[in-house]
Amino acid sequence: MGDFVSIIENRRSANKFIKGVQLPVEELEEIFKLVKLAPSAFNLQHAHYVVVNDRDMIEKLYGAANKQYKVLTASAVILVLGNLEAYKDVARINEGFLNLGVFSKQEYDTEVESVTGFYEGGGQQFMRDEAIRNSSLSAQLFMYIAKDRGWDTCPMIGFDPNAVQELLNIPDNYIPTMMITIGKADPSSQRPRGYRKPVGEFVSYNEFGKQ
């Protein structure tokens, strides 16, 4: 637990990275092997990642991200996407439980039917909310794992999602949740940590506003 506390305390959003630092694909693969364990509603695993490590494409993303310098200096730029239609994968995802006997055929059919009905009955806004909620959970885990392995990150929303969608050929059923820049933080750019509210200011018990 002590190690995890240190990761939480030391993780900072990097506003500038050391130029020219290579992030091996093998390192990213190791990170994603742990990221796949992130929680998601009904285990639908709504998140999809597009890793951009081609310098020409990073230049284009730099333009789509309002020319923020952190994008230009990052070792890689990662788009976190949320799948609006993740629920359509519920049958395939649960086939393992069916084949292992964890689910009976009736339980399997009920799971598929109930999850499908839940999402389709919720409408487009609900599907969008779910895509963002669940991919955000995954993205936070990505940043903690990256920090544990010595990499710095910065989550970003300051980019043109339509331009990014077109640049990276992202299908319409995926929406950009956030952009994450990753690399080695330039120590000269680090500021003191910003103000954090005391716990009593953002935690209530049993009723909003009650301590």
Side-chain angles (χ1 to χ4, degrees), residues 2 10 19-20 24 36-37 42 44 48 80 92 118 131 133 141 147 165 186 188 190:
N10 292 320
K19 280 186 174 181
K36 71 180 183 180
L37 301 177
F42 305 104
L44 293 176
H48 186 95
V80 185
R92 184 179 67 86
F118 185 58
R133 267 192 292 262
L141 184 58
K147 185 61 182 175
Q165 198 122 12
D186 184 337
S188 68
Q190 288 293 341

Side-chain angles (χ1 to χ4, degrees), residues 34-47 133-141:
L34 294 173
V35 169
K36 71 180 183 180
L37 301 177
S40 62
F42 305 104
N43 192 34
L44 293 176
Q45 303 165 59
H46 307 65
R133 267 192 292 262
N134 288 279
S135 56
S136 294
L137 285 171
S138 180
Q140 180 66 80
L141 184 58

Side-chain angles (χ1 to χ4, degrees), residues 68-80:
Q68 295 182 68
Y69 192 61
K70 68 186 85 172
V71 173
L72 207 57
T73 58
S75 300
V77 180
I78 297 170
L79 265 295
V80 185

Side-chain angles (χ1 to χ4, degrees), residues 11-29:
R11 191 215 62 79
R12 302 284 303 281
S13 292
N15 289 310
K16 181 181 178 184
F17 297 93
I18 299 171
K19 280 186 174 181
V21 176
Q22 295 297 313
L23 173 53
V25 171
E26 296 78 14
E27 181 81 11
L28 280 166
E29 290 292 319

Side-chain angles (χ1 to χ4, degrees), residues 2-15:
D3 289 342
F4 184 57
V5 170
S6 296
I7 292 166
I8 294 171
E9 291 176 341
N10 292 320
R11 191 215 62 79
R12 302 284 303 281
S13 292
N15 289 310

